[in-house]
Amino acid sequence: MTTDDLPRSPTGRVPHWVVDEAANRRVPPHAWAPAPSTPPPGARPRRPLGQRILTVVSLALLGWVVVTGPLPALLRSADLPWLDGVVAGRVPAPAPDVVALADDMHLTAHGRDLLYRAQPELLDATAFAGRCDRPDTTAAEGGAVGCYVGPRGADLRHADGEIVVYRPADARLHGFVVTTAAHELLHAAWDDLAAAERTEVTPLLEAVVAGLDPADPVHEQLTGSVGPYPESRPTELFAYVGTQVWRPGGLGPRVEELYARYVADREALVAVHTGFRDMLDAVSAEVTAAQGALDARGLTQVLDQQRYDADVAALASYRAALEQQETQIAAMAPRERDRLLLSWTWRDGTVLPSSPAEQTLARARELLARDEAELAARAETLAATAAEIAAEEARVAALRADADALWAQLDPAG
């Protein structure tokens, strides 16, 4: 123990929660994310080789304590970062899906150690319900998709904090899970930083966020996650910037140095977030484009149908006029009928010049038959197009339902 009597982590640092409790500061119950490797530079220094050898010998003599029970207070407060993840019982064996998640998060060895010690739980909507609730969250603001609960004092079961992550069923949202888990891991990393490092990097992170487009969703996300706990803004800055913000060359040497303790390739981690957002945008764009094309085709079909109906009505009037003329001429005496000359301008502008009536009527009958055949073909085309449009409507409806279901899965409470 140091003279300040504050308990220290196995790495020798005083955890952030300890300082908060000692100062009687109000802190949020969770580091909260709302609903949508080689050791890095700057890693903690190792002890000289001679000291490490002596420590190994001492641990060998105390091996029965390490294996059979909790670490003694003296050992738990020692600065032994090189033993993180090695001492038996210190890091539970991670499940294969958690190991795969760590790979996709591009974590360093130390980042993996933090992740595994927090024993992350990847839960479906049912199991996740209520696990990350926060009393200040309203239904209108949306729910959480993950949370990091910091270390709980002397409770050895939660001495390294806990990470809980909602995992949607749709495999296309894996990038969403990776980003959420990395966000919560960076909350644990924030607690792992020294107090002076947190003080140093906070204004640097604020400057990064201030330089973002005002329309960037990070601003709204920060507001939702911080809620009524302004003192939690620094850790939320660290988590959001670390997982969602990248510029060519990084965000500055010191910022990237601190992130590099935990994330070996932060550009690749941010690319996971960007890729997942691009996938959602692509799904929405596909629905929008398909619906737009369907609407345009439907409008064309309506206009074609209207023209067809008008042509059918016009041809019907010409047919009636022709039949009436034929009836009248048939009623004439043969000598009168033979002397009768008749001309006609057909509906399409075709001029039937003055000719014997029977000849003109015969020509009109040919034009009538031609137009009836053309209208019959158009009717078949309209019927076939209507069937195609109906099939496309079903396809677009399925696309829209899929997109809606995909978006709905982003919110476990939905």
Side-chain angles (χ1 to χ4, degrees):
M1 282 295 190
T2 58
T3 54
D4 57 18
D5 289 333
L6 294 178
R8 295 182 176 274
S9 73
T11 63
R13 292 189 175 90
V14 177
H16 195 29
W17 64 271
V18 173
V19 177
D20 289 330
E21 288 184 357
N24 197 29
R25 283 198 294 264
R26 182 183 65 155
V27 295
H30 305 92
W32 187 77
S37 303
T38 55
R44 293 166 298 183
R46 295 172 179 252
R47 289 176 173 238
L49 178 61
Q51 294 183 29
R52 296 204 300 270
I53 293 175
L54 289 176
T55 305
V56 170
V57 172
S58 300
L59 286 173
L61 295 176
L62 294 173
W64 64 273
V65 176
V66 173
V67 173
T68 62
L71 298 180
L74 179 62
L75 182 58
R76 293 185 72 238
S77 64
D79 185 10
L80 302 174
W82 59 280
L83 279 177
D84 286 354
V86 176
V87 177
R90 176 67 180 145
V91 179
D97 57 349
V98 173
V99 175
L101 191 63
D103 292 338
D104 294 338
M105 291 160 66
H106 303 279
L107 299 183
T108 64
H110 183 48
R112 287 173 182 269
D113 180 57
L114 280 182
L115 181 70
Y116 298 161
R117 277 158 42 192
Q119 303 180 59
E121 297 179 73
L122 307 178
L123 307 176
D124 62 19
T126 301
F128 183 79
R131 292 294 303 275
C132 290
D133 287 353
R134 204 170 69 173
D136 58 281
T137 304
T138 67
E141 293 171 334
V145 295
C147 57
Y148 164 69
V149 183
R152 303 183 189 177
D155 187 349
L156 294 177
R157 294 172 301 174
H158 307 293
D160 298 304
E162 299 173 274
I163 288 177
V164 180
V165 173
Y166 161 59
R167 177 166 59 184
D170 197 312
R172 291 174 295 176
L173 295 177
H174 178 67
F176 168 77
V177 179
V178 173
T179 297
T180 302
H183 179 105
E184 305 308 336
L185 183 277
L186 287 180
H187 283 310
W190 181 260
D191 283 350
D192 185 65
L193 294 176
E197 293 170 329
R198 293 193 294 267
T199 300
E200 176 188 10
V201 78
T202 296
L204 301 179
L205 296 172
E206 290 284 10
V208 169
V209 171
L212 296 177
D213 186 331
D216 193 300
V218 165
H219 298 290
E220 183 178 353
Q221 291 168 331
L222 274 168
T223 300
S225 290
V226 171
Y229 302 97
E231 59 272 28
S232 70
R233 182 174 173 84
T235 183
E236 295 296 349
L237 283 168
F238 192 68
Y240 277 114
V241 171
T243 55
Q244 298 182 204
V245 181
W246 176 261
R247 288 197 298 259
L251 304 179
R254 185 54 175 159
V255 171
E256 296 301 340
E257 178 185 1
L258 294 179
Y259 279 129
R261 291 184 187 172
Y262 313 98
V263 182
D265 189 344
R266 204 176 68 78
E267 182 178 7
L269 174 59
V270 174
V272 172
H273 169 76
T274 304
F276 137 70
R277 297 299 309 184
D278 288 347
M279 181 275 296
L280 290 177
D281 290 343
V283 169
S284 296
E286 182 182 13
V287 174
T288 300
Q291 186 65 60
L294 178 62
D295 292 343
R297 192 172 185 185
L299 177 60
T300 299
Q301 176 77 348
V302 168
L303 295 177
D304 287 346
Q305 185 67 51
Q306 289 176 346
R307 282 191 289 267
Y308 170 81
D309 294 339
D311 288 343
V312 167
L315 188 61
S317 68
Y318 273 77
R319 182 188 301 108
L322 175 60
E323 291 173 349
Q324 181 181 14
Q325 190 72 57
E326 288 174 333
T327 300
Q328 291 174 350
I329 293 175
M332 292 180 179
R335 290 186 62 181
E336 185 180 1
R337 185 169 58 240
D338 291 342
R339 292 197 307 267
L340 179 64
L341 298 178
L342 183 65
S343 65
W344 203 344
T345 299
W346 195 247
R347 55 186 291 268
D348 63 352
T350 300
V351 176
L352 302 179
S354 181
S355 302
E358 289 186 353
Q359 182 179 338
T360 300
L361 293 178
R363 178 60 179 146
R365 274 289 173 184
E366 292 174 358
L367 293 176
L368 177 63
R370 180 203 68 181
D371 289 356
E372 286 178 336
E374 187 269 338
L375 284 177
R378 284 170 62 185
E380 292 181 0
T381 299
L382 285 169
T385 303
E388 292 172 0
I389 289 175
E392 182 64 7
E393 286 176 340
R395 188 186 77 87
V396 172
L399 285 177
R400 183 176 299 281
D402 176 69
D404 289 343
L406 190 66
W407 280 94
Q409 284 191 62
L410 295 175
D411 182 3

